[in-house]
Amino acid sequence: MIRTAFTRRALCVALGTCLLPMAVMAQERGTKEEAKALTEAAWAHVKKVGAEQAFKDFTHDKATWTKKDLYPFVMNHAGVMLAHGANEKLVGRDMINIKDSAGKLMTQDMIAVAKKGEGWSDYEWVDPATKKISGKTAYVKALPGTEQFVAVGAYR
């Protein structure tokens, strides 16, 4: 009986140690709802401070604009990245023909969503936490009076 209790306790400790990183990782994941809310906040920030300042903020002010694994990015309808909260090196790059792992022209899909005003765009992307291809969905919202949109993606 003592041995069984010890074995159960040891197993619980071992499982807890193994599962704890997954629980922590799950807490660090942004949800679809949070992605949409951050997109709305980014959109409002553009309206408040202007595109030039907002795009700088999204790219450089990670303390304000990165929430868990969520961050805003901005593109124009030609597929050029105008701001990116996770990778500054993408700013200025032509992304129009970027395909996901399934061959979907993901930038073109986001542009199509933006031309309708707003909505979700689904694609496959490498998850930096697992290094595996995972489903991702971005909430895309057009910036009125421009051929630009702001978006935030969340892993599904």
Side-chain angles (χ1 to χ4, degrees), residues 20-153:
L20 183 60
M22 284 189 260
V24 170
M25 188 172 81
Q27 291 174 346
E28 296 301 315
R29 291 293 194 188
T31 65
K32 279 181 68 171
E33 294 77 18
E34 290 170 321
K36 183 176 180 181
L38 188 55
T39 302
E40 297 287 354
W43 185 89
H45 189 61
V46 173
K47 301 303 281 176
K48 180 180 177 183
V49 303
E52 184 177 347
Q53 183 60 51
F55 297 175
K56 286 178 187 176
D57 293 343
F58 301 153
T59 301
H60 301 290
D61 185 0
K62 304 219 184 309
T64 301
W65 290 103
T66 300
K67 309 294 184 196
K68 300 179 184 177
D69 63 343
L70 305 176
Y71 53 85
F73 60 93
V74 181
M75 291 180 151
N76 65 23
H77 290 191
V80 175
M81 187 71 69
L82 303 175
H84 198 282
N87 188 348
E88 183 178 349
K89 292 178 182 177
L90 292 177
V91 176
R93 291 204 44 205
D94 180 354
M95 309 292 282
I96 195 71
N97 291 315
I98 298 294
K99 294 180 181 178
D100 72 2
S101 63
K104 180 178 185 176
L105 290 164
M106 49 193 267
T107 300
Q108 292 182 30
D109 185 66
M110 289 182 206
I111 292 167
V113 171
K115 286 181 177 180
K116 294 176 187 173
E118 62 187 286
W120 294 98
S121 176
D122 297 329
Y123 52 100
E124 302 294 316
W125 203 246
V126 175
D127 182 332
T130 65
K131 307 295 187 233
K132 295 180 181 178
I133 302 292
S134 295
K136 196 166 185 179
T137 188
Y139 194 75
V140 175
K141 186 163 181 164
L143 294 169
T146 72
E147 291 192 346
Q148 302 169 345
F149 64 88
V150 63
V152 175

Side-chain angles (χ1 to χ4, degrees), residues 2-24:
I2 293 174
R3 186 174 200 195
T4 304
F6 176 76
T7 305
R8 283 186 193 147
R9 189 173 298 134
L11 182 60
C12 288
V13 169
L15 283 175
T17 304
C18 294
L19 295 177
L20 183 60
M22 284 189 260
V24 170

